[in-house]
Amino acid sequence: MGYELRVVREAPLAFAELAKAIAPAGFGLRGTDEIVAGHAGDTHVVGHWRDQVIGEPGSDWQLAQLIRLAAALGARLVGEDGERYTVRDGIVELVSGGTVVEIGKYHEIIEAGPNAWSP
């Protein structure tokens, strides 16, 4: 298991609400728990439903998709250590303890697709 990110919001998220909100945002459901997004004619897993939305991104693309999904749900994306992942002025950022780390330009990350991070 990798590093988990959670989609968190003030009001609990019900599965029915998730299912209703994801299609207009460009996401889909595969099976009963996989949340997927398309790229280059294929679908790729972005997260899973486990009584909340959980993601274990293996690429910047998956991270950017999780941020987009969180926004579509009126939520924020939070890591295991409390850090937040956001998009500000078109830049994907990690915010932790007052420190901001730029990850990259959102549109470039989305265009690049779900290429896995190198070990």
Side-chain angles (χ1 to χ4, degrees), residues 85-97:
Y85 296 85
T86 65
V87 175
R88 186 173 57 92
D89 298 329
I91 305 294
V92 175
E93 296 179 334
L94 172 135
V95 181
S96 179

Side-chain angles (χ1 to χ4, degrees), residues 1 6 14 17 27 29 36 38 42-43 53 61 68 70 73 85 87 97-98 102-103 115 119:
M1 178 176 276
R6 297 172 317 283
E17 188 177 359
F27 295 95
L29 285 173
V36 297
D42 202 2
T43 57
V53 177
W61 182 87
R68 189 168 70 86
L73 296 170
Y85 296 85
V87 175
E102 291 186 359
I103 295 172
N115 300 319

Side-chain angles (χ1 to χ4, degrees), residues 30-107:
R30 185 165 56 200
T32 59
D33 73 331
E34 288 186 335
I35 302 163
V36 297
H39 181 78
D42 202 2
T43 57
H44 304 272
V45 175
V46 172
H48 292 87
W49 174 256
R50 297 188 183 126
D51 293 325
Q52 65 179 8
V53 177
I54 301 288
E56 294 179 28
S59 69
D60 287 343
W61 182 87
Q62 287 172 315
L63 174 64
Q65 294 292 356
L66 281 167
I67 294 168
R68 189 168 70 86
L69 177 60
L73 296 170
R76 61 191 186 283
L77 187 63
V78 179
E80 292 177 7
D81 297 324
E83 74 279 14
R84 293 184 340 264
Y85 296 85
T86 65
V87 175
R88 186 173 57 92
D89 298 329
I91 305 294
V92 175
E93 296 179 334
L94 172 135
V95 181
S96 179
T99 301
V100 176
V101 177
E102 291 186 359
I103 295 172
K105 294 180 181 178
Y106 178 83
H107 76 278

